[in-house]
């Protein structure tokens, strides 16, 4: 990793440290050891507070559930966008098809009128009345051509009508899918709001000093998980250099540090975890799936040891969280509701795997 990149990361880390301890990630980590100082300093006159480690675990479950529902919400929204675009495309085809049908009907009407006007006498009579047999024969050829043209016109009319009927069926099917998608999106939204409301209620019931202690526990858990990851010696094997697009994606993501997490958001004022990574790569010139689960399913996977800045780290067995590797064992991500986009240890959460948007 170049000097400029190390300077970028160092600056980003400094910004994060200067914000507040509340910017620490709030997802699941290895359970921290109790702090003997905090337990010994508690006032015996006060009612014992809640088990903050149990609170941290409960919050983690609630926010993880919200993250999964957010992925469902984003997936439904993405499908709805595609279906809406398909309906618009079909509607345009229907309009053009109707215009074409009207033109063909006019041509068919004109052809029928012309055939009626020239078809009153049988061919033998027209030959006898003709002063020029060659002119008659030429006219007969034109009549045959007219018959062929009429048959072709009728065939095109039929095909156009069939196409219109198919477009209408396809549009109707897309409308049904769109309605089902809207219901799925609404259901996911209810899940998200329910989980976040429960988590916020749980946090709001804590005293100020308990909230501070909870944030410390979260940070301590993240630090311990990151230390264990680094102690494995893995960082010595990770020395990949960022591609040109990867550098642009990292620069975009790092520029969002300090902005709030908001489920379903894709910027520019707020983001959820996959909203940040997808927008970063779109800005870098590479469109990728919107959700962390689809990013895991669709993007090429690379070994953690081959990781390079710009790659996406997918977390947890259900692929419910994603961050972007920025080098030096660090990643940038949008942690969860109530937190801001921040730099964190790449190993501070359980890694499912790594994907590369610009592989090859």
């Amino acid at each position: 990793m170049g000097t400029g990149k190390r300077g970028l990361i160092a600056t980003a880390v400094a910004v994060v440290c200067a914000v507040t301890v509340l910017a620490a990630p709030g997802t699941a980590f290895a359970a921290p050891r109790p702090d003997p100082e905090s337990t010994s300093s508690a006032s015996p006159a006060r009612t014992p507070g809640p088990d903050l480690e149990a609170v941290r675990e409960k919050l983690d479950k609630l926010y993880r559930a919200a993250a999964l529902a957010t992925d469902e919400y984003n997936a439904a929204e993405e499908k709805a966008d595609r279906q809406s675009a398909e309906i618009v495309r079909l509607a345009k085809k229907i309009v053009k098809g109707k215009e074409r049908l009207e033109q063909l009907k006019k041509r068919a009407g004109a052809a029928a009128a012309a055939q009626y006007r020239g078809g009153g006498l049988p061919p033998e009579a027209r030959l006898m009345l003709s002063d020029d047999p060659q002119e008659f024969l030429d006219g007969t050829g034109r009549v045959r051509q007219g018959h062929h043209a009429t048959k072709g016109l009728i065939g095109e009319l039929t095909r156009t009508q069939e196409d219109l009927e198919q477009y209408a069926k396809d549009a109707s099917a897309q409308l049904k899918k769109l309605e089902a998608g809207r219901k799925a999106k609404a259901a996911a939204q209810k899940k998200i709001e329910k989980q976040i409301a429960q988590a916020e209620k749980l946090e709001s019931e804590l005293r100020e000093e308990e909230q501070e202690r909870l944030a410390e526990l979260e940070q301590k858990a993240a630090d311990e998980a990151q230390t264990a990851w680094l102690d494995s010696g893995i960082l010595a094997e990770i020395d990949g250099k960022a591609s040109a697009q990867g550098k642009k994606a990292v620069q975009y993501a790092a520029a969002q540090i300090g902005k709030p997490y908001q489920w379903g958001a894709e910027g520019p004022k707020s983001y959820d975890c996959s909203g940040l990574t997808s927008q970063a790569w779109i800005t870098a010139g590479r469109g990728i799936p919107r959700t962390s689960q689809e990013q895991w399913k669709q993007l090429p996977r690379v070994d953690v040891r081959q990781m390079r800045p710009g790659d996406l780290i997918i977390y947890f067995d259900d692929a419910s969280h994603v961050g972007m590797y920025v080098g030096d064992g660090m990643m940038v991500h949008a942690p969860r509701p109530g937190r801001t986009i921040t730099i964190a240890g790449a190993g501070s959460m359980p890694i499912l795997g790594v994907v590369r948007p610009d592989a090859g």
Side-chain angles (χ1 to χ4, degrees):
M1 183 172 180
T3 306
K5 182 59 63 186
R6 291 183 185 278
L8 170 64
I9 296 170
T11 302
V13 172
V15 170
V16 175
C17 291
V19 175
T20 174
V21 71
L22 289 178
T27 41
F29 311 107
R33 292 183 295 273
D35 186 341
E37 292 184 6
S38 64
T39 55
S40 62
S41 61
S43 171
R46 297 188 66 171
T47 303
D51 180 348
L52 291 179
E53 179 56 29
V55 171
R56 186 185 73 79
E57 291 176 359
K58 177 65 174 176
L59 286 172
D60 175 67
K61 289 180 181 179
L62 290 170
Y63 282 125
R64 284 282 307 286
L68 278 173
T70 298
D71 245 23
E72 292 174 11
Y73 175 91
N74 290 335
E77 187 173 54
E78 197 172 27
K79 284 182 182 178
D81 289 343
R82 288 197 302 268
Q83 288 155 0
S84 295
E86 179 64 12
I87 290 170
V88 170
R89 187 183 70 83
L90 288 168
K92 289 179 179 178
K93 277 192 168 187
I94 289 171
V95 170
K96 288 182 180 179
K98 286 183 176 179
E99 291 174 352
R100 179 64 177 157
L101 193 61
E102 287 303 313
Q103 293 172 358
L104 290 171
K105 284 180 178 179
K106 287 179 181 178
R107 282 176 54 193
Q115 187 175 356
Y116 175 79
R117 287 194 299 270
L121 293 173
E124 297 83 356
R126 276 183 281 146
L127 177 60
M128 292 176 62
L129 293 173
S130 175
D131 295 330
D132 185 348
Q134 185 61 45
E135 180 182 348
F136 166 77
L137 292 174
D138 291 344
T140 302
R142 285 194 295 273
V143 168
R144 281 200 300 268
Q145 291 174 0
H147 281 310
H148 287 307
T150 301
K151 287 177 68 177
L153 187 60
I154 292 171
E156 191 172 355
L157 268 167
T158 302
R159 287 192 299 273
T160 302
Q161 287 175 324
E162 290 173 348
D163 286 345
L164 280 171
E165 289 174 3
Q166 187 60 50
Y167 295 154
K169 288 180 182 177
D170 291 346
S172 177
Q174 290 297 331
L175 280 169
K176 289 179 181 178
K177 289 181 181 178
L178 183 61
E179 183 59 30
R182 284 174 176 163
K183 290 180 180 178
K185 183 177 171 182
Q189 181 174 349
K190 286 182 179 179
K191 285 184 187 177
I192 297 165
E193 291 173 344
K194 179 181 178 181
Q195 302 295 342
I196 292 177
Q198 288 179 353
E200 289 177 341
K201 181 177 183 296
L202 186 59
E203 286 191 276
S204 69
E205 292 172 349
L206 298 176
R207 297 188 293 266
E208 184 178 350
E209 61 269 25
E210 290 171 339
Q211 292 181 5
E212 293 175 356
R213 177 61 182 148
L214 178 64
E216 291 172 4
L217 285 174
E218 290 179 352
Q219 186 62 58
K220 186 176 181 181
D223 291 344
E224 289 182 350
Q226 174 71 355
T227 298
W229 186 68
L230 294 176
D231 284 348
S232 69
I234 193 169
L235 194 57
E237 301 180 59
I238 302 175
D239 59 356
K241 307 298 180 184
S243 65
Q245 283 185 310
K247 288 179 181 178
K248 290 180 181 178
V250 169
Q251 289 169 353
Y252 179 93
Q256 313 312 309
I257 290 173
K259 293 183 179 180
Y261 177 104
Q262 173 64 46
W263 62 265
E266 300 175 80
K269 294 181 179 180
S270 58
Y271 300 83
D272 62 23
C273 67
S274 58
L276 176 66
T277 54
S278 61
Q279 286 302 308
W281 271 102
I282 287 173
T283 302
R286 182 69 64 114
I288 65 173
R290 169 65 178 86
T291 70
S292 60
Q293 292 178 338
E294 289 304 309
Q295 289 169 5
W296 174 241
K297 288 179 185 177
Q298 297 184 34
L299 297 179
R301 299 177 186 180
V302 298
D303 190 274
V304 175
R305 293 167 180 78
Q306 304 300 317
M307 191 162 53
R308 69 189 188 193
D311 288 349
L312 306 183
I313 308 175
I314 309 297
Y315 293 99
F316 305 109
D317 291 341
D318 53 14
S320 58
H321 191 69
V322 59
M324 179 181 291
Y325 187 62
V326 296
D328 288 345
M330 307 297 287
M331 60 94 172
V332 61
H333 72 147
R336 61 141 167 109
R339 298 292 186 259
T340 59
I341 295 170
T342 185
I343 293 284
S348 58
M349 290 173 283
I351 296 175
L352 176 61
V354 178
V355 295
R356 179 166 293 165
D358 60 339

